[in-house]
Amino acid sequence: MPRNGDGPDLGASIRRDQLEAVRRSVQQAMPVNALLGATGALVAAQAGHGGAGLAWFALSSAINLARFGLCRAPCPGLVAPEASPPWQARAAACVDRHLRLATLAAFLSGLVWSLVALLCEGYTAPQSLFYLVVTCGITAGAVTHGMAYAAIPASFITPPLLTVAGCLAWAGGFDRTCLALTTLLYLAALLRSAVETERGFRRTSRLKNEATALARARQEAHASASALADEMRRRATHDALTGLMNRAGFAQAAEARILRPGPAPCLMLLDLDGFKSVNDVYGHSTGDRVLAEVAQRLRRTLPPEALAARFGGDEFAVLYDPSAEWPPADLAAALIGVVVERFESFDAGRLGVSIGLCHAHGPSLTQMLSCADEALYAAKAAGRDRFRIFDEGLRGRLEMRRDSERDLSHALAENGLAVWFQPIFGEGGGRVAGLEALVRWNHPVHGWVPPGEIVAAAARAGLTESLLRFILEQVCGAMQSLRAAGVSDIRVAMNVSPREMAQIPVDEIVLDRLRTLGLSPSLLEIEITEETALDIEAVQGKLLALSRAGIRVALDDFGIGYSSLASLRQLRAGRVKIDRSLVTGLSASDDKRGLIQAVLGLGRALGLEVVAEGVETAEDLVALRALGCPLLQGYHLGRPAPADHALRQALACRTDAA
Ligand code: C2E
Ligand code: CA
Ligand code: CA
């Protein structure tokens, strides 16, 4: 029971301390009590009351034994406390019960000591002095020993001292009456002292218990703070969706692994093929499930000590030590195998994965990552579900990519870039109907940089708009030359990648420039390719603005991309260009002929112009003419050439025709 406003826990702890102190003090007092009892019996025997003395001693010893036994009896409340409230309540009740029993036993012991009066005829016999001194001594001792719990010394001392006072008062006489009163005074002083010492004990016990509780609370707070810190550290280094490491966590762990001496580790970069369509078609929650499932499949397949991470989006990374059991190529093939398996518990279509590997002692993680990235790029270019290990061939490409990114801005400023033009023929190849602008860069170290790489380098270097403006300027120059020559039916086509289209305001830039130069939009064409699943929404508005202004939109590389009939309409395409992979060699392929026929039919049905690209031989040209393909482009008819050369040829071709 809590006292003095102590909380229930603190109150119980103080009571526990009290019981422990009581048990200690009672056990210490027992030998003295027994010794004094034996002396009392001896004195009684000396005075001729041997039988009574012995009986009294036997009674006293029995009570002492009982008190001793009580102090030794097990009490669950004194063992290490358990946290559960029902246990605590039971423990507190047990402590209280033991304190009450100890008080009762002390009272019985006190009653036995009050029977001493029988041994000395009510404190009138000559041995009274001995008994009085013993009684005073034992009661004083009880109070000084029983500091913890006042009820016990009080119960013990009250019966004998009241008996002494009563007997002395009964016997009468001035001295005895005074002694009786003094005894009462003595009893009162002892009782007060007992109460006060208990108060002191409780105060000390409270302070001790509070300090312990405080220490425990601090310990718990410390433990929960460090658990929180651990959790925060985990979150900072792990991906919440998949449970794999994130980029930062991976960088930390992988750097340590790379620095470790030993055989070269292998770094893999994995990029899902077709994940964007999963998100678009099945929704983002399915996309999330796919990522989580892919992560699980990777974990199951990888050797246990491999590091695996999700770099965000649909890109994953793995670092592991190749072994005889798992050489890099085998592991990459196994990973592709598990990722492409269908999802059993939900529908998400078929997913693919491309993997780039770097198996070398990279001087740093950054360098290994760029090598693996280069290999990934090559794997993706080769088609779905492939892996590629970084090698010397890729090193050349990597250097080229790095250098083109570094040197592009200088080349743009110093006229290092050029735009060439390739004729597009109408009337089955009889007459130039258009010119396609193709960017060119002859790099001082790497030679001709592929146009796609120039565009990508511009994106990496933040030069997308500068590059577009440069090409537009050359295109406008060609349009001006044609106008100056009085030609008004040759369109100039300019390639714009979907990424450029999405990133910069192509429509505003182009229309603004045409307006400034007074050029007619109807003489310009924008070719857009669907090399990756095109984010139609991001480009639709701009293409709409361009086509509204009169600029024709052509869908490039038709037949190999992700183009759908719907996208033709959404993109406002007025022309499709059949990819050269479907054209080159068509004279020898029924399949290709069939496909071209189908596209021509589609063009007629939708009112679209159809251009066949990649006409490389006379046979293909004949075959295309036979199919009735009106617009043709390819090395056999005319190669890309610098502007002045291409324009001269186009105009010459005109005069020939005339
Ligand atoms: P594309 O738009 O399909 O351009 C046609 C590509 O095929 C050109 O390669 C051209 O030189 C090549 N070609 C033309 N006739 C034949 C042929 O008969 N046989 C073969 N094998 N190839 C032929 P190029 O110039 O290397 O350009 C490659 C791609 O780079 C272009 O493909 C286009 O997507 C992109 N590109 C070129 N210039 C630019 C540009 O200024 N801006 C943007 N964004 N992309 C460009
Ligand atoms: Ca093109
Ligand atoms: Ca093309």
Side-chain angles (χ1 to χ4, degrees):
M1 237 150 288
R3 288 187 190 174
N4 307 340
D6 300 328
D9 287 356
L10 186 55
S13 302
I14 295 174
R15 307 275 280 174
R16 207 169 37 237
D17 285 351
Q18 286 180 299
L19 180 60
E20 272 171 354
V22 162
R23 286 182 160 206
R24 257 193 322 273
S25 67
V26 169
Q27 289 183 70
Q28 277 166 5
M30 277 314 104
V32 183
N33 196 312
L35 200 69
L36 289 176
T39 325
L42 269 179
V43 171
Q46 184 68 31
H49 306 298
L54 207 62
W56 177 84
F57 182 61
L59 194 61
S60 162
S61 299
I63 289 288
N64 282 347
L65 272 177
R67 290 185 77 185
F68 194 78
L70 207 57
C71 289
R72 295 261 158 165
C75 170
L78 288 180
V79 296
E82 251 176 52
S84 69
W87 189 93
Q88 285 180 340
R90 272 202 307 278
C94 173
V95 167
D96 284 343
R97 198 167 50 247
H98 274 264
L99 281 171
R100 276 197 303 274
L101 282 173
T103 310
L104 180 68
F107 178 69
L108 291 177
S109 183
L111 282 183
V112 171
W113 276 94
S114 64
L115 293 181
V116 162
L118 298 177
L119 302 179
C120 56
E121 292 144 30
Y123 297 100
T124 52
Q127 301 80 29
S128 298
L129 187 60
F130 167 80
Y131 287 118
L132 274 175
V133 169
V134 168
T135 304
C136 286
I138 202 161
T139 50
V143 171
T144 32
H145 267 89
M147 290 162 39
Y149 192 63
I152 288 179
S155 311
F156 177 72
I157 65 174
T158 308
L161 288 179
L162 279 183
T163 311
V164 167
C167 288
L168 290 175
W170 179 263
F174 182 74
D175 288 0
R176 286 208 178 96
T177 309
C178 282
L179 197 55
L181 285 174
T182 311
T183 307
L184 287 179
L185 212 61
Y186 175 65
L187 172 63
L190 284 184
L191 287 177
R192 189 164 161 255
S193 161
V195 169
E196 256 166 24
T197 48
E198 180 191 332
R199 206 172 282 150
F201 180 90
R202 289 177 61 85
R203 208 167 23 242
T204 314
S205 165
R206 179 164 48 246
L207 288 176
K208 185 203 90 177
N209 281 297
E210 277 171 352
T212 314
L214 205 66
R216 195 178 311 126
R218 274 188 56 175
Q219 220 167 29
E220 280 165 9
H222 180 76
S224 78
S226 53
L228 194 70
D230 284 351
E231 175 59 18
M232 279 170 65
R233 227 184 338 265
R234 220 194 72 78
R235 282 193 195 180
T237 52
H238 283 75
D239 169 46
L241 179 63
T242 59
L244 299 180
M245 278 182 270
N246 59 18
R247 193 183 276 273
F250 184 78
Q252 228 172 43
E255 253 154 25
R257 179 79 66 98
I258 287 168
L259 290 178
R260 217 167 55 188
C266 175
L267 177 70
M268 297 188 181
L269 283 181
L270 298 86
D271 193 278
L272 301 185
D273 300 322
F275 179 71
K276 188 178 177 301
S277 323
V278 173
N279 260 344
D280 290 348
V281 176
Y282 298 92
H284 286 273
S285 66
T286 304
D288 286 355
R289 288 179 73 181
V290 164
L291 292 173
E293 173 67 24
V294 165
Q296 264 186 26
R297 291 179 182 186
L298 296 182
R299 264 262 148 268
R300 275 202 299 268
T301 316
L302 289 169
E305 75 290 352
L307 303 176
R310 176 175 164 237
F311 273 8
D314 56 356
E315 202 176 286
F316 294 84
V318 166
L319 185 82
Y320 87 108
D321 295 318
S323 59
E325 189 193 352
W326 284 119
D330 289 12
L331 186 59
L335 292 177
I336 292 175
V338 295
V339 173
V340 302
E341 265 170 42
R342 282 202 167 273
F343 298 97
E344 266 161 28
S345 51
F346 56 98
D347 191 13
R350 194 181 158 278
L351 207 65
V353 63
S354 304
I355 307 183
L357 294 88
C358 170
H359 181 199
H361 264 304
S364 73
L365 177 65
T366 319
Q367 262 160 1
M368 284 186 82
L369 279 170
S370 68
C371 293
D373 199 42
E374 189 61 43
L376 174 63
Y377 188 81
K380 270 210 173 293
R384 280 170 71 112
D385 300 340
R386 310 216 180 190
F387 68 87
R388 173 81 191 258
I389 302 180
F390 185 78
D391 55 19
E392 279 312 307
L394 289 182
R395 185 176 304 284
R397 254 183 56 181
L398 179 64
E399 276 160 13
M400 186 262 280
R401 276 149 59 84
R402 214 166 18 217
D403 294 352
S404 30
E405 180 182 337
R406 186 194 58 203
D407 302 336
L408 183 62
S409 109
H410 181 75
L412 274 171
E414 301 292 318
N415 270 329
L417 265 67
V419 172
W420 287 16
F421 293 87
Q422 185 181 26
I424 300 168
F425 288 86
E427 293 165 11
R431 145 180 191 285
V432 174
L435 291 170
E436 179 178 2
L438 298 161
V439 68
R440 292 289 179 263
W441 181 18
N442 196 358
H443 189 277
V445 174
H446 300 288
W448 295 104
V449 181
E453 182 43 45
I454 303 174
V455 175
R460 291 196 300 273
L463 293 169
T464 298
E465 185 168 336
S466 311
L467 178 67
L468 183 98
R469 284 186 185 277
F470 168 78
I471 295 166
L472 180 63
E473 222 42 52
Q474 314 303 306
V475 167
C476 289
M479 289 168 76
Q480 282 173 319
S481 302
L482 289 170
R483 187 173 61 181
V487 176
S488 59
D489 58 352
I490 294 184
R491 278 203 197 228
V492 182
M494 176 178 168
N495 288 285
V496 179
S497 72
R499 181 118 55 103
E500 291 171 282
M501 191 60 91
Q503 271 176 1
I504 53 175
V506 175
D507 49 341
E508 286 169 25
I509 295 171
V510 169
L511 293 174
D512 186 55
R513 200 66 197 129
L514 292 182
R515 232 185 341 262
T516 309
L517 297 174
L519 288 167
S520 162
S522 65
L523 292 179
L524 183 67
E525 176 174 298
I526 296 284
E527 292 189 11
I528 185 144
T529 165
E530 264 201 286
E531 81 264 305
T532 55
L534 181 65
D535 186 355
I536 290 184
E537 270 150 40
V539 303
Q540 201 178 11
K542 292 173 190 168
L543 287 176
L544 189 67
L546 291 168
S547 75
R548 278 213 182 115
I551 295 174
R552 185 167 57 205
V553 173
L555 191 61
D556 208 350
D557 308 331
F558 191 71
I560 55 159
Y562 295 76
S563 333
S564 64
L565 294 179
S567 68
L568 282 174
R569 193 171 297 274
Q570 283 168 312
L571 297 175
R572 292 294 185 124
R575 177 179 263 199
V576 291
K577 298 185 80 180
I578 309 177
D579 189 70
R580 70 164 185 267
S581 61
L582 302 178
V583 174
T584 310
L586 92 146
S587 56
S589 159
D590 291 343
D591 282 359
K592 288 186 178 177
R593 263 202 307 278
L595 280 167
I596 291 173
Q597 231 166 356
V599 180
L600 286 169
L602 184 77
R604 273 192 296 274
L606 296 177
L608 296 167
E609 289 184 357
V610 177
V611 183
E613 290 188 307
V615 185
E616 291 188 349
T617 61
E619 293 77 39
D620 289 349
L621 180 61
V622 171
L624 283 163
R625 278 191 181 137
L627 288 172
C629 184
L631 293 158
L632 306 159
Q633 185 181 6
Y635 290 169
H636 179 68
L637 294 160
R639 288 187 174 253
D644 49 350
H645 186 268
L647 283 165
R648 242 192 341 266
Q649 255 194 344
L651 295 174
C653 176
R654 276 312 172 84
T655 15
D656 291 354

Short mmCIF file of all heavy atoms in Angstrom, two decimals, residues 422 436-440 451-452 455 471 495-497 500 527 529 556-557 580 613-616 634-635 640, ligand 1:
data_model
loop_
_atom_site.label_atom_id
_atom_site.label_comp_id
_atom_site.label_asym_id
_atom_site.label_seq_id
_atom_site.Cartn_x
_atom_site.Cartn_y
_atom_site.Cartn_z
N GLN A 422 20.74 14.51 -96.19
CA GLN A 422 20.55 13.36 -97.07
C GLN A 422 19.24 13.55 -97.84
O GLN A 422 18.21 13.88 -97.23
CB GLN A 422 20.50 12.06 -96.26
CG GLN A 422 20.43 10.83 -97.15
CD GLN A 422 20.35 9.53 -96.36
OE1 GLN A 422 19.87 9.53 -95.23
NE2 GLN A 422 20.80 8.45 -96.96
N GLU A 436 16.99 15.41 -95.29
CA GLU A 436 17.00 15.13 -93.85
C GLU A 436 18.30 15.63 -93.26
O GLU A 436 19.38 15.28 -93.74
CB GLU A 436 16.83 13.63 -93.57
CG GLU A 436 16.87 13.35 -92.06
CD GLU A 436 16.67 11.89 -91.68
OE1 GLU A 436 16.53 11.05 -92.60
OE2 GLU A 436 16.65 11.61 -90.47
N ALA A 437 18.17 16.46 -92.24
CA ALA A 437 19.37 17.01 -91.58
C ALA A 437 19.92 15.98 -90.61
O ALA A 437 19.18 15.43 -89.78
CB ALA A 437 19.00 18.28 -90.84
N LEU A 438 21.22 15.72 -90.68
CA LEU A 438 21.87 14.75 -89.79
C LEU A 438 23.11 15.40 -89.20
O LEU A 438 23.97 15.88 -89.93
CB LEU A 438 22.25 13.49 -90.57
CG LEU A 438 21.08 12.72 -91.18
CD1 LEU A 438 21.54 11.78 -92.29
CD2 LEU A 438 20.32 11.95 -90.10
N VAL A 439 23.19 15.40 -87.88
CA VAL A 439 24.29 16.10 -87.23
C VAL A 439 25.59 15.30 -87.37
O VAL A 439 25.56 14.06 -87.38
CB VAL A 439 23.94 16.39 -85.75
CG1 VAL A 439 23.87 15.12 -84.94
CG2 VAL A 439 24.93 17.37 -85.13
N ARG A 440 26.68 16.02 -87.49
CA ARG A 440 27.99 15.36 -87.64
C ARG A 440 29.02 16.01 -86.74
O ARG A 440 29.03 17.23 -86.57
CB ARG A 440 28.48 15.48 -89.10
CG ARG A 440 27.66 14.70 -90.12
CD ARG A 440 27.91 13.21 -89.95
NE ARG A 440 27.13 12.40 -90.88
CZ ARG A 440 25.96 11.82 -90.58
NH1 ARG A 440 25.41 12.00 -89.39
NH2 ARG A 440 25.34 11.07 -91.47
N PRO A 451 25.67 10.26 -84.21
CA PRO A 451 24.75 11.34 -83.84
C PRO A 451 24.00 11.07 -82.53
O PRO A 451 23.83 11.97 -81.72
CB PRO A 451 23.77 11.41 -85.01
CG PRO A 451 24.48 10.78 -86.15
CD PRO A 451 25.44 9.80 -85.60
N GLY A 452 23.57 9.81 -82.34
CA GLY A 452 22.85 9.48 -81.10
C GLY A 452 23.71 9.80 -79.88
O GLY A 452 23.21 10.27 -78.85
N VAL A 455 23.83 13.56 -79.21
CA VAL A 455 22.62 14.00 -78.51
C VAL A 455 22.68 13.60 -77.03
O VAL A 455 22.37 14.39 -76.14
CB VAL A 455 21.36 13.41 -79.19
CG1 VAL A 455 20.11 13.77 -78.41
CG2 VAL A 455 21.26 13.90 -80.63
N ILE A 471 21.64 23.02 -84.60
CA ILE A 471 21.13 22.24 -85.74
C ILE A 471 20.02 23.02 -86.46
O ILE A 471 19.98 23.10 -87.69
CB ILE A 471 20.62 20.86 -85.26
CG1 ILE A 471 21.80 20.05 -84.71
CG2 ILE A 471 19.94 20.11 -86.39
CD1 ILE A 471 21.40 18.83 -83.92
N ASN A 495 15.74 15.98 -87.16
CA ASN A 495 15.46 14.94 -86.16
C ASN A 495 15.40 15.55 -84.75
O ASN A 495 16.28 16.33 -84.38
CB ASN A 495 16.56 13.88 -86.17
CG ASN A 495 16.50 13.01 -87.40
OD1 ASN A 495 15.64 12.16 -87.52
ND2 ASN A 495 17.38 13.26 -88.36
N VAL A 496 14.39 15.16 -83.99
CA VAL A 496 14.33 15.58 -82.57
C VAL A 496 14.00 14.33 -81.77
O VAL A 496 13.02 13.64 -82.07
CB VAL A 496 13.26 16.66 -82.34
CG1 VAL A 496 13.20 17.04 -80.87
CG2 VAL A 496 13.54 17.90 -83.18
N SER A 497 14.85 14.03 -80.78
CA SER A 497 14.58 12.83 -79.98
C SER A 497 13.47 13.14 -78.97
O SER A 497 13.28 14.29 -78.59
CB SER A 497 15.85 12.39 -79.25
OG SER A 497 16.12 13.31 -78.21
N GLU A 500 14.71 15.16 -76.03
CA GLU A 500 14.85 16.61 -76.29
C GLU A 500 13.49 17.27 -76.27
O GLU A 500 13.29 18.34 -75.71
CB GLU A 500 15.47 16.85 -77.67
CG GLU A 500 16.92 16.45 -77.81
CD GLU A 500 17.37 16.52 -79.27
OE1 GLU A 500 17.04 15.58 -80.03
OE2 GLU A 500 18.03 17.50 -79.62
N GLU A 527 11.20 15.03 -87.38
CA GLU A 527 11.14 13.56 -87.28
C GLU A 527 11.34 13.17 -85.82
O GLU A 527 12.32 13.55 -85.20
CB GLU A 527 12.24 12.91 -88.13
CG GLU A 527 12.04 13.12 -89.61
CD GLU A 527 13.03 12.29 -90.43
OE1 GLU A 527 13.72 11.42 -89.86
OE2 GLU A 527 13.10 12.55 -91.65
N THR A 529 11.47 9.91 -83.13
CA THR A 529 11.60 8.47 -83.12
C THR A 529 11.01 7.89 -81.84
O THR A 529 10.89 8.58 -80.83
CB THR A 529 13.09 8.07 -83.25
OG1 THR A 529 13.20 6.73 -82.90
CG2 THR A 529 13.96 8.88 -82.34
N ASP A 556 9.62 8.41 -86.99
CA ASP A 556 10.83 7.79 -87.55
C ASP A 556 10.94 6.33 -87.12
O ASP A 556 10.31 5.92 -86.14
CB ASP A 556 12.04 8.57 -87.01
CG ASP A 556 13.22 8.53 -87.95
OD1 ASP A 556 13.17 7.75 -88.91
OD2 ASP A 556 14.18 9.27 -87.71
N ASP A 557 11.74 5.59 -87.82
CA ASP A 557 12.07 4.20 -87.44
C ASP A 557 10.82 3.36 -87.21
O ASP A 557 10.77 2.53 -86.29
CB ASP A 557 12.96 4.17 -86.18
CG ASP A 557 14.17 5.06 -86.34
OD1 ASP A 557 14.63 5.23 -87.48
OD2 ASP A 557 14.65 5.60 -85.32
N ARG A 580 14.99 1.18 -91.56
CA ARG A 580 15.79 0.57 -92.63
C ARG A 580 16.01 -0.93 -92.42
O ARG A 580 16.26 -1.66 -93.37
CB ARG A 580 17.10 1.31 -92.81
CG ARG A 580 18.10 1.16 -91.72
CD ARG A 580 19.46 1.60 -92.24
NE ARG A 580 20.47 1.36 -91.22
CZ ARG A 580 20.84 2.27 -90.34
NH1 ARG A 580 20.32 3.48 -90.38
NH2 ARG A 580 21.73 1.96 -89.42
N GLU A 613 13.23 3.92 -95.71
CA GLU A 613 14.62 4.32 -95.46
C GLU A 613 15.56 3.16 -95.75
O GLU A 613 15.14 2.00 -95.68
CB GLU A 613 14.81 4.64 -93.97
CG GLU A 613 14.16 5.88 -93.46
CD GLU A 613 14.62 6.14 -92.03
OE1 GLU A 613 14.52 5.23 -91.17
OE2 GLU A 613 15.09 7.24 -91.78
N GLY A 614 16.83 3.47 -95.96
CA GLY A 614 17.84 2.40 -96.07
C GLY A 614 17.81 1.66 -97.39
O GLY A 614 18.07 0.45 -97.43
N VAL A 615 17.51 2.37 -98.47
CA VAL A 615 17.55 1.74 -99.79
C VAL A 615 19.01 1.66 -100.21
O VAL A 615 19.62 2.69 -100.54
CB VAL A 615 16.73 2.56 -100.82
CG1 VAL A 615 16.68 1.80 -102.16
CG2 VAL A 615 15.35 2.84 -100.29
N GLU A 616 19.58 0.49 -100.18
CA GLU A 616 21.03 0.36 -100.39
C GLU A 616 21.38 -0.23 -101.76
O GLU A 616 22.53 -0.12 -102.18
CB GLU A 616 21.65 -0.50 -99.28
CG GLU A 616 21.63 0.19 -97.94
CD GLU A 616 22.42 -0.54 -96.86
OE1 GLU A 616 22.82 -1.70 -97.11
OE2 GLU A 616 22.62 0.04 -95.78
N GLY A 634 18.09 6.51 -99.05
CA GLY A 634 19.10 5.48 -98.81
C GLY A 634 20.38 5.74 -99.57
O GLY A 634 20.42 6.59 -100.47
N TYR A 635 21.42 5.02 -99.17
CA TYR A 635 22.74 5.22 -99.75
C TYR A 635 22.73 5.03 -101.28
O TYR A 635 23.48 5.66 -102.00
CB TYR A 635 23.74 4.24 -99.14
CG TYR A 635 24.10 4.53 -97.70
CD1 TYR A 635 24.81 3.60 -96.93
CD2 TYR A 635 23.72 5.73 -97.11
CE1 TYR A 635 25.14 3.86 -95.62
CE2 TYR A 635 24.05 5.99 -95.78
CZ TYR A 635 24.75 5.06 -95.03
OH TYR A 635 25.07 5.31 -93.75
N PRO A 640 24.26 10.99 -97.11
CA PRO A 640 24.31 12.29 -96.44
C PRO A 640 25.57 13.04 -96.87
O PRO A 640 26.61 12.41 -97.07
CB PRO A 640 24.39 11.92 -94.96
CG PRO A 640 23.92 10.52 -94.87
CD PRO A 640 24.27 9.87 -96.17
P1 C2E B 1 17.69 8.28 -88.57
O1 C2E B 1 16.90 9.47 -88.27
O2 C2E B 1 16.95 7.02 -88.87
O3 C2E B 1 18.64 8.68 -89.74
C1 C2E B 1 18.99 7.85 -90.73
C2 C2E B 1 20.29 7.23 -90.48
O4 C2E B 1 20.51 6.18 -91.42
C3 C2E B 1 21.46 8.18 -90.67
O5 C2E B 1 22.50 7.76 -89.82
C4 C2E B 1 21.86 7.92 -92.09
O6 C2E B 1 23.19 8.27 -92.38
C5 C2E B 1 21.66 6.43 -92.17
N1 C2E B 1 21.36 5.96 -93.53
C6 C2E B 1 20.76 6.60 -94.56
N2 C2E B 1 20.65 5.81 -95.64
C7 C2E B 1 21.17 4.61 -95.28
C8 C2E B 1 21.35 3.37 -95.95
O7 C2E B 1 20.97 3.19 -97.12
N3 C2E B 1 21.92 2.38 -95.30
C9 C2E B 1 22.34 2.54 -94.02
N4 C2E B 1 22.93 1.51 -93.40
N5 C2E B 1 22.21 3.68 -93.32
C10 C2E B 1 21.60 4.72 -93.97
P2 C2E B 1 23.16 8.76 -88.87
O8 C2E B 1 23.36 10.07 -89.51
O9 C2E B 1 24.32 8.08 -88.28
O10 C2E B 1 22.08 9.00 -87.75
C11 C2E B 1 21.71 8.00 -86.92
C12 C2E B 1 20.57 8.41 -86.09
O11 C2E B 1 20.94 9.47 -85.21
C13 C2E B 1 19.42 8.98 -86.88
O12 C2E B 1 18.67 7.97 -87.36
C14 C2E B 1 18.72 9.83 -85.88
O13 C2E B 1 17.85 9.07 -85.10
C15 C2E B 1 19.86 10.31 -85.05
N6 C2E B 1 20.21 11.66 -85.45
C16 C2E B 1 20.95 12.04 -86.51
N7 C2E B 1 21.04 13.37 -86.55
C17 C2E B 1 20.31 13.85 -85.53
C18 C2E B 1 19.99 15.16 -85.05
O14 C2E B 1 20.37 16.18 -85.63
N8 C2E B 1 19.22 15.24 -83.94
C19 C2E B 1 18.74 14.13 -83.33
N9 C2E B 1 18.00 14.27 -82.27
N10 C2E B 1 19.03 12.90 -83.74
C20 C2E B 1 19.79 12.75 -84.84
#
